Amino acid sequence: MNKIKVITGLMFSVLIATIFTQSCTTSKMIEQKSGAQLWGENCIRCHNMPSPADFTDVQWATIGLHMQDRVNLTDAEAKKIVDFMKSAN
Amino acid sequence: MIRKIILLILVMGIGKSYAQDTKEPQNDGTATEVVTPPKEEKSHFMLRGFAQFGLDASSDNVEFNMTSFNPVILYRQGDRFLFESELEMEYMSNEFSLNLGYASASYIITKGVTVKVGKILIPFGEFGEKLHPSWVNRMADAPLGLGHDGGMLPMADIGVELRGGLQMGKSKLSYSIYCVNGPRLKDGTMGQEEAGMLSWENMNDNNKNKALGARIGILPLSNSSLEIGFSGYYAKPGNSTSPYAGDSMNMDLNYKDVTALLTAIDLSYVKQIAPLKGVIDIKGQYNMSDVSNATYLKPGDTNRLTNRYTFTNSSTAYYAQLAYRPTMAGNKILKNIEVVGRYSVYNTPVGSLWESTQSQISLGLNYWFSWRTVLKVGYQMSDGVPAGMSGMSMGGASMSSMSTSTVNTFQIHLAMGL
């Protein structure tokens, strides 16, 4: 049990260090991601990708807020994805 | 009563959705008309959810069942406020149950910070919060120890939560911190065979303590394909007073200082891989529960010298799952097929009256009719010594000396996201 806790602690430390290291670099690549790309990357983490045509603009706004809350999408991700779904439906 | 509730929900949901989704500003072509933004842009009501129906066949039993019908209500007010609720309806083994899965209100305070109140889904690990809907779960049922029935983890509770997602360079951080009523320790007064178990369904708290928990999810890759989550949950689940107050023989038994610490690591990797012409979906979660030692009464033993026992109250449950779907295949039927395998284990405390050890191998073949409708065909091999067969209850025989039971089950389930 103690081994598991130690390994967990080490993994967590390495990941935190990785994040801080990466935080220092530019995130321009992230900023330039389109809504379509973010839709492809994020929705599939839990379920198959929905078609933009499955819902109306109003419904996408509600679903976007729901998914932002459920899987902790960043504000920018949620906005870009919803805008894309509205533009493509 | 239940019929009335269901009817009311359906009428409200369908009526309201129809009314709001079909209202469009009417333009009669006159130049003087001022078209105002439709009010439904500011608020919106939706009825969604999921359902699963199926057949389970083992050597002992063949049964059609409706494992879930869960309407989900969503109400958005503006761009920041969301109310959502899930009703859990189950009909299994001639019993219908209706439960409130969750009912919570969320408000985005600022970028990356959302506050949520109500009966919230507990973000402990990944399965309970994100993967439990039947059309999201690749298998027909939950991994051992992670389901609603007899699971060792919190699923939903009443309280308050702060959560959000933050971009940190090329990585992302997902966090959830919450304070809820917490579990209740089963002290044996209402069922001695479950003494030491945690009960998660508590709408009323049994003490002044609140449970605290958090999950940190790290997505180190810029394409969000990998997430590693760390969860922790701490509670004092005992009653504030002895359940044996007034019983001169046992009034020294008190559970107010018993603590429960749960930890979990979860992993998710989902990526379309071109050389494999499809999507690889890897999921896993390892959960540990440690409840501090306490003394309980043996059933049917009134001898003051021999009627007490204790045990190391630690449980573990874990699963690993791999799914592959050839989404890039040229054949239309082939690209909708998914193969999935899962291994899960659930061990309850050695020496308790609910001691058990179970393992399960599940193999599945799914066919996706659409992105949210799937036919799951599975074969499940379950091994284990069931709860209540511990050494003490079997007159001192150790579990290792008992033969394990094996149950093989064939499953066909249709799951739909509504």
Side-chain angles (χ1 to χ4, degrees), chain B residues 145-153 198 200 346:
Chain B
L146 276 71
H148 286 282
D149 301 323
M152 63 172 267
L153 305 182
L198 296 176
W200 299 104
Y346 182 28

Side-chain angles (χ1 to χ4, degrees), chain B residues 319-336:
Chain B
Y319 83 96
Q321 179 178 295
L322 172 65
Y324 168 70
R325 183 179 169 191
T327 51
M328 298 163 72
N331 186 291
K332 192 177 176 183
I333 292 176
L334 187 60
K335 72 198 306 181
N336 292 328

Side-chain angles (χ1 to χ4, degrees), chain B residues 186-207:
Chain B
K186 294 184 178 180
D187 50 31
T189 52
M190 298 295 287
Q192 289 179 310
E193 71 282 355
E194 293 185 341
M197 198 182 280
L198 296 176
S199 170
W200 299 104
E201 290 295 328
N202 304 308
M203 294 305 102
N204 299 315
D205 205 354
N206 60 330
N207 54 40

Side-chain angles (χ1 to χ4, degrees), chain B residues 293-338:
Chain B
N293 290 352
T295 301
Y296 306 97
L297 293 181
K298 287 180 186 175
D301 189 342
T302 54
N303 187 330
R304 177 69 173 80
L305 297 175
T306 60
N307 71 343
R308 297 182 177 201
Y309 73 104
T310 186
F311 57 91
T312 302
N313 197 344
S314 297
S315 302
T316 55
Y318 56 90
Y319 83 96
Q321 179 178 295
L322 172 65
Y324 168 70
R325 183 179 169 191
T327 51
M328 298 163 72
N331 186 291
K332 192 177 176 183
I333 292 176
L334 187 60
K335 72 198 306 181
N336 292 328
I337 291 175
E338 182 178 56

Side-chain angles (χ1 to χ4, degrees), chain A residues 46 70-71, chain B residues 126-133 136 215 227:
Chain A
C46 297
R70 179 60 61 89
V71 297
Chain B
E126 192 180 34
F127 186 87
E129 186 185 34
K130 300 174 191 168
L131 307 178
H132 80 276
V136 175
R215 178 181 180 275
E227 179 171 4

